[in-house]
Amino acid sequence: QMQLVESGGGLVQAGGSLRLSCVASGRTFSSVTMGWFRQAPGKEREFVAALRWIGRSTYYADYADSVKGRFTISRDNAKNTMYLHMNSLKSEDTAVYYCAGSTNLKLGYDYWGQGTQVTVSS
């Protein structure tokens, strides 16, 4: 079982930066694929970024085209924490951001956080 808690959301001006954190509890954090999703009002939930496990502590970073070059995903297994560094924020980035984990991507994501609001003002 895994529990995920996001934090770090807030209000930021366009062009600014924000760092989101996701703290996980559970014995298999290091072997779980972790990712970020977001959902804006009137929109479906969309993929943002993920760290796909390819070894004991080695991951491949995958990003949605809309955030490539602006967002950076990382994780610290020792702290059971995943981060999303968001730079050059745009109004289109306004959404509720969700932390998620998957033990088998073929079956989808198994664990979800409660979400944290990110609002980018113009």
Side-chain angles (χ1 to χ4, degrees), residues 65-85:
D65 289 341
S66 59
V67 305
K68 285 182 179 178
R70 299 189 299 117
F71 290 10
T72 301
I73 187 172
S74 63
R75 64 189 289 171
D76 186 337
N77 289 336
K79 298 180 179 180
N80 287 347
T81 302
M82 177 178 66
Y83 305 95
L84 184 68
H85 291 84

Side-chain angles (χ1 to χ4, degrees), residues 89-116:
L89 284 163
K90 307 174 181 179
S91 60
E92 307 95 272
D93 297 317
T94 295
V96 176
Y97 284 70
Y98 296 91
C99 173
S102 176
T103 55
N104 187 340
L105 290 178
K106 295 179 181 179
L107 301 178
Y109 281 78
D110 308 287
Y111 309 104
W112 295 86
Q114 81 288 351
T116 184

Side-chain angles (χ1 to χ4, degrees), residues 32-49:
V32 173
T33 297
M34 300 294 296
W36 290 95
F37 292 76
R38 67 186 183 186
Q39 186 169 21
K43 301 284 188 177
E44 294 186 346
R45 184 174 298 181
E46 65 175 350
F47 169 80
V48 176

Side-chain angles (χ1 to χ4, degrees), residues 1-12:
Q1 191 67 263
M2 175 176 282
Q3 295 78 44
L4 304 172
V5 180
E6 307 98 329
S7 63
L11 176 65
V12 63

